[in-house]
C-alpha cells in the first residue's frame, strides 16, 4: 500500500500543485529527492500509513511540485490533512532536537511502545513538546477587546494570548496574561475550544471572559495597540482557519442573538 508522505525541507512541506489546489506528493517521487535526513512514522490515515520525512535544505522541488510553508495550506487542503501536516512537522522537529539525552548526553533511540525518545544509558524519556497557550476574548456589553502586536499583518487585530508558565492552571495564566498585556481584570472565564498550532508546537486553548475592572494600557514592547471595538465595527481579523477568528466569530454571533432576545 502506498503511504501518505509529508516531506519537509526546513519547515516547508512538499506539495503537488494542480489547478491551484495542493496534494501530497506521490510516494514514487521520493527516491528522486535523495536519502532523507530523517524518516518518522506517524500512524495511519484512512488505513494508509503516513510518514514524515526531512530532506536537505538544498533539495529542489520536482517539476509540478513546490515546497510551501504550512500557513500556505490554509484553504487549499482539507482540515484533517492540515492537522496531520502540523503533526508531521512537529514530529520531525522533535526527532531532530532530541537526538541526544538532555540528562546525560548519550544518543537516544526511538521507543517501541510509545512516541518517546529513550536514553539507553540513563533511561530518561523525552516526549514531543507541547506548549499550552491561553487565548482570551474579553467582552464588555456589545464590545470586544482586540489587540495587535507588531508582527501581525498590517491592520489585523486579534484576541489576547500567551504561554502558560510552569505551575499555572489555565485560568490563572489567562488572568495574568490579560493583566500583563492590557492591565484589565476579568470575570466569568468560559472555555471555548482548543486548536493545535504547529508554529512551532503550541496548543491554543481559547476562552471568553467578561470585563471586570481597569483601563486598557497596552504592554510596552508586546502590544502595539489594544482597544474596545463595537461588534458591528470590527477591524481586520485573523485567518478563518485560526481559533482566534473562530472565537471572535462565535462570540459576535452569540452577542447578536442575545441582543435580539433582549430587545
Ligand atoms: Zn541519558
Amino acid at each position: 500500500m502506498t503511504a501518505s508522505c509529508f516531506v519537509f525541507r526546513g519547515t516547508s512541506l512538499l506539495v503537488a500543485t494542480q489547478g491551484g489546489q495542493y496534494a501530497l506528493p506521490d510516494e514514487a517521487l521520493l527516491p528522486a529527492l535523495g536519502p532523507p535526513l530523517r524518516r518518522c512514522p506517524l500512524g495511519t490515515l484512512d488505513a494508509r500509513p503516513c510518514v514524515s520525512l526531512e530532506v536537505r535544505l538544498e533539495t529542489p522541488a520536482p517539476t509540478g511540485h513546490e515546497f510551501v510553508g504550512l500557513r500556505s495550506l490554509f484553504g487549499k487542503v482539507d482540515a484533517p490533512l492540515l492537522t496531520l501536516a502540523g503533526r508531521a512537522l512537529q514530529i520531525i522537529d522533535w526527532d531532530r532536537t532530541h537526538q541526544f539525552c538532555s540528562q546525560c548526553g548519550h544518543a537516544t533511540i526511538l521507543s517501541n511502545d510509545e512516541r518517546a525518545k529513550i536514553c539507553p544509558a540513563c533511561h530518561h524519556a523525552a516526549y514531543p513538546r507541547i506548549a499550552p497557550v491561553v487565548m482570551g476574548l474579553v467582552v464588555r456589553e456589545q464590545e470586544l477587546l482586540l489587540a495587535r502586536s507588531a508582527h501581525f499583518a498590517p491592520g489585523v487585530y486579534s484576541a489576547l494570548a500567551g504561554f502558560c508558565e510552569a505551575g499555572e492552571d489555565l485560568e490563572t495564566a489567562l488572568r495574568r496574561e490579560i493583566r500583563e498585556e492590557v492591565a484589565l481584570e476579568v470575570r466569568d472565564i468560559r472555555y471555548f475550544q482548543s486548536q493545535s498550532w504547529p508554529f512551532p508546537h503550541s496548543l491554543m486553548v481559547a476562552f471568553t471572559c467578561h470585563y471586570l475592572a481597569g483601563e486598557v494600557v497596552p504592554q510596552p514592547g508586546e502590544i502595539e495597540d489594544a482597544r474596545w471595538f463595537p461588534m458591528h465595527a470590527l477591524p481586520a481579523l485573523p485567518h478563518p482557519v485560526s481559533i482566534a477568528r473562530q472565537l471572535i466569530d462565535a462570540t459576535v454571533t452569540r452577542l447578536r442573538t442575545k441582543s435580539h432576545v433582549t430587545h
Side-chain angles (χ1 to χ4, degrees):
M1 175 182 281
T2 56
S4 296
C5 300
F6 296 84
V7 180
F8 290 95
R9 185 181 71 185
T11 57
S12 296
L13 179 69
L14 182 66
V15 290
T17 51
Q18 299 153 337
Q21 290 294 305
Y22 292 157
L24 291 179
D26 197 295
E27 193 181 13
L29 197 79
L30 297 186
L33 300 171
L37 293 171
R38 64 196 73 257
R39 179 187 178 97
C40 302
L42 293 174
T44 57
L45 176 66
D46 299 333
R48 277 162 68 97
C50 299
V51 63
S52 189
L53 302 102
E54 183 179 29
V55 296
R56 296 182 182 282
L57 283 176
E58 60 272 21
T59 307
T63 307
H65 295 71
E66 277 176 51
F67 282 102
V68 299
L70 285 196
R71 283 183 171 86
S72 306
L73 300 180
F74 291 174
K76 293 196 171 179
V77 300
D78 58 17
L81 189 59
L82 185 61
T83 300
L84 196 52
R87 175 174 168 78
L89 177 61
Q90 290 181 80
I91 296 298
I92 280 286
D93 182 69
W94 167 71
D95 187 80
R96 186 194 316 110
T97 54
H98 292 79
Q99 296 292 299
F100 298 94
C101 176
S102 60
Q103 185 159 259
C104 78
H106 198 283
T108 56
I109 54 171
L110 207 53
S111 166
N112 291 324
D113 311 323
E114 54 181 353
R115 176 119 13 228
K117 302 275 265 184
I118 306 291
C119 174
C122 76
H123 308 296
H124 178 68
Y127 300 91
R129 181 177 162 199
I130 299 169
V133 174
V134 285
M135 171 176 288
L137 181 59
V138 188
V139 178
R140 184 178 69 178
E141 303 288 333
Q142 300 290 300
E143 295 176 311
L144 307 180
L145 183 86
L146 299 174
R148 58 171 283 109
S149 77
H151 70 264
F152 283 14
V156 171
Y157 283 72
S158 186
L160 299 167
F163 286 101
C164 282
E165 292 188 358
E168 274 185 333
D169 56 63
L170 297 171
E171 293 81 358
T172 304
L174 186 66
R175 284 198 182 86
R176 174 186 53 73
E177 279 294 338
I178 293 172
R179 196 176 296 131
E180 284 175 2
E181 293 190 342
V182 292
L184 296 184
E185 298 297 329
V186 296
R187 61 178 171 84
D188 297 343
I189 294 173
R190 301 258 167 112
Y191 174 70
F192 172 64
Q193 279 172 28
S194 64
Q195 181 181 51
S196 170
W197 194 246
F199 307 110
H201 39 60
S202 299
L203 173 63
M204 314 296 292
V205 189
F207 299 87
T208 57
C209 53
H210 280 91
Y211 168 83
L212 177 62
E215 292 293 324
V216 175
V217 181
Q219 184 181 16
E222 188 77 20
I223 301 294
E224 191 179 80
D225 188 31
R227 56 179 103 152
W228 295 105
F229 288 93
M231 68 172 185
H232 56 80
L234 296 178
L237 298 172
H239 193 284
V241 81
S242 68
I243 195 168
R245 178 63 173 275
Q246 292 164 30
L247 173 66
I248 294 166
D249 286 353
T251 303
V252 167
T253 302
R254 182 168 56 80
L255 290 177
R256 284 214 174 106
T257 311
K258 207 168 125 193
S259 72
H260 238 70
V261 172
T262 312
H263 297 137

